[in-house]
Amino acid sequence: MGYKVTINKKAIKTLEKISEPDYSKIKKTIFSLAINPRPAGYKKLKGRAGFRIRQGDYRIIYDIFDHVLVVDVIAVGNRKEIYD
């Protein structure tokens, strides 16, 4: 049984501003979290809640709620700006 992926409004707005081909790759990575929320290369964040996964120069920050099988995408952004 897979997880349900939710994306908050801030992450959606950021995602809409990303051009192709990065947009499609990021979208594919986000939806793959429904199958495996802890893929190879994921990291637990230090200093704030959540996890991160890399997709090229972009980072996807998300929380995992195992008890209800939900992955909540908190933020998407360029690696230089996402941690500010």
Side-chain angles (χ1 to χ4, degrees):
M1 185 172 192
Y3 285 68
K4 177 182 176 189
V5 176
T6 61
I7 307 171
N8 76 13
K9 289 181 182 181
K10 181 182 171 192
I12 290 172
K13 286 189 179 264
T14 305
L15 195 55
E16 288 172 347
K17 295 176 186 172
I18 298 171
S19 59
E20 290 292 344
D22 293 322
Y23 173 81
S24 293
K25 291 177 184 176
I26 292 168
K27 195 168 113 177
K28 182 179 176 185
T29 301
I30 289 172
F31 288 117
S32 74
L33 293 173
I35 299 163
N36 181 9
R38 294 175 179 88
Y42 90 103
K43 298 236 180 185
K44 173 83 173 93
L45 294 175
K46 296 177 183 170
R48 83 189 247 190
F51 300 88
R52 74 118 170 107
I53 188 74
R54 296 177 358 177
Q55 177 55 60
D57 286 341
Y58 291 89
R59 303 296 180 261
I60 302 161
I61 298 181
Y62 61 99
D63 268 331
I64 303 170
F65 301 99
D66 289 315
H67 59 284
V68 289
L69 298 178
V70 171
V71 173
D72 183 29
V73 176
I74 301 166
V76 176
N78 190 286
R79 64 188 175 94
K80 295 177 183 175
E81 303 160 356
I82 192 76
Y83 301 111
D84 292 339

